[in-house]
Short mmCIF file of all heavy atoms in Angstrom, two decimals:
data_model
loop_
_atom_site.label_atom_id
_atom_site.label_comp_id
_atom_site.label_asym_id
_atom_site.label_seq_id
_atom_site.Cartn_x
_atom_site.Cartn_y
_atom_site.Cartn_z
N THR A 91 -57.53 -78.92 -3.53
CA THR A 91 -58.73 -79.29 -2.76
C THR A 91 -58.80 -78.51 -1.46
O THR A 91 -59.85 -77.99 -1.09
CB THR A 91 -58.71 -80.79 -2.44
OG1 THR A 91 -58.47 -81.50 -3.65
CG2 THR A 91 -60.00 -81.24 -1.83
N VAL A 95 -61.86 -76.14 -0.48
CA VAL A 95 -62.70 -76.47 0.66
C VAL A 95 -62.67 -75.36 1.69
O VAL A 95 -63.71 -74.92 2.19
CB VAL A 95 -62.26 -77.81 1.29
CG1 VAL A 95 -62.97 -78.06 2.60
CG2 VAL A 95 -62.54 -78.95 0.33
N GLY A 159 -62.69 -76.40 -8.72
CA GLY A 159 -63.32 -77.26 -7.71
C GLY A 159 -64.32 -76.52 -6.84
O GLY A 159 -65.18 -77.16 -6.22
N PHE A 162 -68.27 -77.08 -6.80
CA PHE A 162 -68.74 -78.33 -6.20
C PHE A 162 -68.82 -78.20 -4.69
O PHE A 162 -69.78 -78.67 -4.07
CB PHE A 162 -67.81 -79.48 -6.59
CG PHE A 162 -67.77 -79.71 -8.07
CD1 PHE A 162 -66.75 -79.21 -8.83
CD2 PHE A 162 -68.79 -80.41 -8.69
CE1 PHE A 162 -66.73 -79.40 -10.20
CE2 PHE A 162 -68.78 -80.60 -10.06
CZ PHE A 162 -67.74 -80.10 -10.81
N VAL A 163 -67.82 -77.54 -4.09
CA VAL A 163 -67.84 -77.34 -2.65
C VAL A 163 -69.03 -76.46 -2.27
O VAL A 163 -69.80 -76.78 -1.35
CB VAL A 163 -66.52 -76.70 -2.17
CG1 VAL A 163 -66.56 -76.45 -0.69
CG2 VAL A 163 -65.36 -77.60 -2.53
N THR A 166 -72.41 -78.47 -2.66
CA THR A 166 -72.68 -79.51 -1.66
C THR A 166 -72.82 -78.91 -0.27
O THR A 166 -73.69 -79.30 0.50
CB THR A 166 -71.58 -80.58 -1.64
OG1 THR A 166 -70.32 -79.93 -1.58
CG2 THR A 166 -71.62 -81.46 -2.84
N PRO A 203 -70.29 -84.00 6.60
CA PRO A 203 -70.48 -84.85 5.42
C PRO A 203 -70.54 -84.05 4.13
O PRO A 203 -69.95 -84.44 3.12
CB PRO A 203 -71.83 -85.53 5.69
CG PRO A 203 -72.00 -85.47 7.15
CD PRO A 203 -71.32 -84.22 7.62
N GLY A 204 -71.22 -82.90 4.17
CA GLY A 204 -71.29 -82.06 2.98
C GLY A 204 -69.92 -81.52 2.60
O GLY A 204 -69.56 -81.50 1.43
N VAL A 205 -69.16 -81.12 3.61
CA VAL A 205 -67.84 -80.56 3.34
C VAL A 205 -66.94 -81.63 2.74
O VAL A 205 -66.24 -81.41 1.75
CB VAL A 205 -67.21 -80.00 4.64
CG1 VAL A 205 -65.79 -79.53 4.39
CG2 VAL A 205 -68.05 -78.85 5.17
N VAL A 206 -67.02 -82.84 3.32
CA VAL A 206 -66.15 -83.91 2.82
C VAL A 206 -66.55 -84.30 1.40
O VAL A 206 -65.69 -84.46 0.52
CB VAL A 206 -66.18 -85.13 3.76
CG1 VAL A 206 -65.42 -86.28 3.14
CG2 VAL A 206 -65.59 -84.76 5.10
N SER A 207 -67.86 -84.40 1.14
CA SER A 207 -68.20 -84.81 -0.22
C SER A 207 -67.87 -83.69 -1.20
O SER A 207 -67.44 -83.96 -2.33
CB SER A 207 -69.65 -85.27 -0.34
OG SER A 207 -70.52 -84.34 0.20
N GLY A 208 -68.03 -82.43 -0.78
CA GLY A 208 -67.59 -81.33 -1.64
C GLY A 208 -66.09 -81.42 -1.90
O GLY A 208 -65.64 -81.25 -3.03
N GLY A 209 -65.34 -81.75 -0.85
CA GLY A 209 -63.90 -81.90 -1.00
C GLY A 209 -63.55 -83.03 -1.95
O GLY A 209 -62.65 -82.91 -2.77
N LEU A 210 -64.31 -84.13 -1.85
CA LEU A 210 -64.05 -85.26 -2.76
C LEU A 210 -64.31 -84.85 -4.21
O LEU A 210 -63.55 -85.19 -5.10
CB LEU A 210 -64.93 -86.45 -2.39
CG LEU A 210 -64.46 -87.25 -1.19
CD1 LEU A 210 -65.41 -88.41 -0.93
CD2 LEU A 210 -63.07 -87.80 -1.45
N PHE A 211 -65.42 -84.12 -4.40
CA PHE A 211 -65.70 -83.62 -5.75
C PHE A 211 -64.55 -82.76 -6.25
O PHE A 211 -64.10 -82.88 -7.38
CB PHE A 211 -66.99 -82.80 -5.76
CG PHE A 211 -68.23 -83.62 -5.97
CD1 PHE A 211 -69.10 -83.87 -4.94
CD2 PHE A 211 -68.52 -84.12 -7.22
CE1 PHE A 211 -70.24 -84.61 -5.13
CE2 PHE A 211 -69.66 -84.87 -7.42
CZ PHE A 211 -70.53 -85.12 -6.37
N ALA A 212 -64.09 -81.85 -5.37
CA ALA A 212 -63.00 -80.95 -5.76
C ALA A 212 -61.74 -81.75 -6.07
O ALA A 212 -61.04 -81.47 -7.03
CB ALA A 212 -62.74 -79.93 -4.66
N PHE A 213 -61.48 -82.77 -5.24
CA PHE A 213 -60.29 -83.59 -5.45
C PHE A 213 -60.35 -84.30 -6.79
O PHE A 213 -59.41 -84.27 -7.58
CB PHE A 213 -60.17 -84.61 -4.31
CG PHE A 213 -58.93 -85.44 -4.40
CD1 PHE A 213 -57.73 -84.97 -3.88
CD2 PHE A 213 -58.95 -86.68 -5.01
CE1 PHE A 213 -56.58 -85.73 -3.97
CE2 PHE A 213 -57.80 -87.44 -5.12
CZ PHE A 213 -56.61 -86.97 -4.58
N ILE A 214 -61.51 -84.91 -7.06
CA ILE A 214 -61.62 -85.68 -8.29
C ILE A 214 -61.56 -84.73 -9.49
O ILE A 214 -61.02 -85.07 -10.54
CB ILE A 214 -62.89 -86.55 -8.29
CG1 ILE A 214 -62.75 -87.73 -9.24
CG2 ILE A 214 -64.11 -85.79 -8.65
CD1 ILE A 214 -62.16 -88.93 -8.62
N THR A 215 -62.11 -83.52 -9.33
CA THR A 215 -62.05 -82.54 -10.42
C THR A 215 -60.60 -82.25 -10.76
O THR A 215 -60.20 -82.25 -11.92
CB THR A 215 -62.74 -81.23 -10.01
OG1 THR A 215 -64.04 -81.54 -9.56
CG2 THR A 215 -62.82 -80.27 -11.17
N SER A 216 -59.81 -82.00 -9.71
CA SER A 216 -58.41 -81.68 -9.97
C SER A 216 -57.66 -82.90 -10.46
O SER A 216 -56.87 -82.83 -11.41
CB SER A 216 -57.77 -81.15 -8.70
OG SER A 216 -56.39 -81.11 -8.84
N PHE A 217 -57.91 -84.04 -9.84
CA PHE A 217 -57.16 -85.25 -10.16
C PHE A 217 -57.44 -85.71 -11.58
O PHE A 217 -56.60 -86.31 -12.23
CB PHE A 217 -57.54 -86.34 -9.15
CG PHE A 217 -56.56 -87.47 -9.11
CD1 PHE A 217 -55.33 -87.31 -8.51
CD2 PHE A 217 -56.88 -88.69 -9.66
CE1 PHE A 217 -54.42 -88.35 -8.47
CE2 PHE A 217 -55.97 -89.74 -9.63
CZ PHE A 217 -54.74 -89.55 -9.03
N ILE A 260 -59.76 -96.28 -7.77
CA ILE A 260 -59.89 -95.07 -6.95
C ILE A 260 -61.32 -94.55 -7.00
O ILE A 260 -61.91 -94.20 -5.98
CB ILE A 260 -58.90 -93.98 -7.43
CG1 ILE A 260 -57.47 -94.45 -7.20
CG2 ILE A 260 -59.15 -92.67 -6.71
CD1 ILE A 260 -56.43 -93.48 -7.69
N VAL A 263 -63.67 -96.52 -4.82
CA VAL A 263 -63.51 -96.16 -3.40
C VAL A 263 -64.21 -94.83 -3.11
O VAL A 263 -64.96 -94.69 -2.14
CB VAL A 263 -62.01 -96.05 -3.05
CG1 VAL A 263 -61.82 -95.47 -1.66
CG2 VAL A 263 -61.36 -97.41 -3.15
N LEU A 264 -64.03 -93.86 -4.01
CA LEU A 264 -64.66 -92.55 -3.81
C LEU A 264 -66.18 -92.67 -3.82
O LEU A 264 -66.87 -92.07 -3.00
CB LEU A 264 -64.22 -91.59 -4.90
CG LEU A 264 -62.85 -90.98 -4.72
CD1 LEU A 264 -62.51 -90.08 -5.89
CD2 LEU A 264 -62.81 -90.18 -3.43
N LEU A 265 -66.68 -93.46 -4.76
CA LEU A 265 -68.13 -93.62 -4.89
C LEU A 265 -68.71 -94.18 -3.60
O LEU A 265 -69.72 -93.69 -3.07
CB LEU A 265 -68.44 -94.54 -6.07
CG LEU A 265 -69.90 -94.86 -6.35
CD1 LEU A 265 -70.64 -93.59 -6.68
CD2 LEU A 265 -70.02 -95.84 -7.49
N VAL A 266 -68.06 -95.21 -3.07
CA VAL A 266 -68.54 -95.82 -1.83
C VAL A 266 -68.49 -94.81 -0.69
O VAL A 266 -69.47 -94.64 0.06
CB VAL A 266 -67.69 -97.08 -1.51
CG1 VAL A 266 -68.03 -97.60 -0.12
CG2 VAL A 266 -67.91 -98.14 -2.56
N THR A 267 -67.36 -94.09 -0.59
CA THR A 267 -67.25 -93.09 0.48
C THR A 267 -68.38 -92.08 0.40
O THR A 267 -69.02 -91.75 1.40
CB THR A 267 -65.91 -92.33 0.34
OG1 THR A 267 -64.91 -93.25 -0.02
CG2 THR A 267 -65.56 -91.61 1.60
N LEU A 268 -68.63 -91.59 -0.81
CA LEU A 268 -69.67 -90.57 -0.97
C LEU A 268 -71.03 -91.10 -0.58
O LEU A 268 -71.82 -90.41 0.06
CB LEU A 268 -69.71 -90.11 -2.42
CG LEU A 268 -68.84 -88.92 -2.71
CD1 LEU A 268 -68.89 -88.60 -4.19
CD2 LEU A 268 -69.33 -87.71 -1.92
N GLU A 269 -71.31 -92.34 -0.98
CA GLU A 269 -72.61 -92.93 -0.69
C GLU A 269 -72.79 -93.04 0.82
O GLU A 269 -73.84 -92.69 1.37
CB GLU A 269 -72.71 -94.31 -1.37
CG GLU A 269 -74.05 -94.98 -1.27
CD GLU A 269 -75.18 -94.18 -1.91
OE1 GLU A 269 -74.89 -93.32 -2.77
OE2 GLU A 269 -76.33 -94.39 -1.51
N LEU A 271 -71.32 -91.23 3.07
CA LEU A 271 -71.47 -89.87 3.61
C LEU A 271 -72.88 -89.35 3.40
O LEU A 271 -73.46 -88.72 4.27
CB LEU A 271 -70.48 -88.93 2.93
CG LEU A 271 -69.06 -89.02 3.43
CD1 LEU A 271 -68.16 -88.17 2.56
CD2 LEU A 271 -69.01 -88.54 4.87
N TRP B 353 -68.51 -91.46 -12.14
CA TRP B 353 -67.38 -91.17 -11.28
C TRP B 353 -66.05 -91.59 -11.86
O TRP B 353 -65.00 -91.22 -11.35
CB TRP B 353 -67.56 -91.86 -9.92
CG TRP B 353 -68.36 -91.02 -9.03
CD1 TRP B 353 -69.68 -91.17 -8.74
CD2 TRP B 353 -67.92 -89.87 -8.32
NE1 TRP B 353 -70.08 -90.17 -7.91
CE2 TRP B 353 -69.02 -89.37 -7.64
CE3 TRP B 353 -66.70 -89.21 -8.21
CZ2 TRP B 353 -68.93 -88.24 -6.85
CZ3 TRP B 353 -66.61 -88.08 -7.43
CH2 TRP B 353 -67.72 -87.61 -6.75
#
Side-chain angles (χ1 to χ4, degrees):
Chain A
T91 309
V95 171
F162 298 99
V163 178
T166 49
V205 175
V206 173
S207 51
L210 282 180
F211 272 106
F213 183 84
I214 203 89
T215 307
S216 167
F217 198 74
I260 295 177
V263 171
L264 281 178
L265 179 62
V266 171
T267 320
L268 268 176
E269 186 61 21
L271 282 173
Chain B
W353 274 101

